[in-house]
Amino acid sequence: WLTNHCLGTCYGAASLTISTCAQLLLLQVVSAHAASIGDNLLGVPLNCSAGLNADAVTVLQEAGRWQSAAVLIARALAGTERAQALSRWSSHVLHQEGSVWRCVGLLTAAGCLSAAVQVG
């Protein structure tokens, strides 16, 4: 997925050079390798430095670092990326913490009003 995402990003933006694409792919390979040896949090600064903030949030959320992910969501994500990250967080809050109202609040903040109404 990371490679396809990067290639899509690179092909979709005329301002990115081949060198930039190579650097993004290298960062993703290093991040994936670090995760394979147990250091998955190394991907956070690597993804952020490459402007892949949504990927960094996903790494944090998968590692159970929900509060750190929340800070990055608030500072660096907008639109669909923000909504997807908040939706993942709301699912965690509902199923792991059992907090219906926090879940509804997160879904509302994400703009997922129909999903927020159906919680319960």
Side-chain angles (χ1 to χ4, degrees):
W1 176 85
L2 290 174
T3 303
N4 290 337
H5 176 70
C6 178
L7 291 175
T9 301
C10 290
Y11 293 137
S15 63
L16 293 177
T17 65
I18 291 175
S19 175
T20 303
C21 271
Q23 290 170 354
L24 288 174
L25 288 172
L26 178 62
L27 287 173
Q28 291 174 340
V29 167
V30 169
S31 178
H33 175 69
S36 74
I37 60 171
D39 188 9
N40 57 343
L41 292 180
L42 178 63
V44 175
L46 292 175
N47 284 322
C48 287
S49 69
L52 302 172
N53 297 318
D55 293 341
V57 167
T58 301
V59 169
L60 287 167
Q61 289 179 330
E62 289 174 353
R65 302 285 183 108
W66 296 98
Q67 295 301 320
S68 298
V71 171
L72 191 53
I73 291 167
R75 299 254 179 203
L77 298 185
T80 303
E81 290 179 333
R82 182 175 185 274
Q84 290 171 342
L86 288 174
S87 181
R88 283 191 304 271
W89 188 15
S90 72
S91 179
H92 166 77
V93 166
L94 180 63
H95 296 104
Q96 302 301 317
E97 298 176 13
S99 179
V100 173
W101 290 112
R102 279 189 63 212
C103 173
V104 169
L106 288 166
L107 288 170
T108 302
C112 303
L113 300 179
S114 62
V117 170
Q118 296 174 6
V119 172

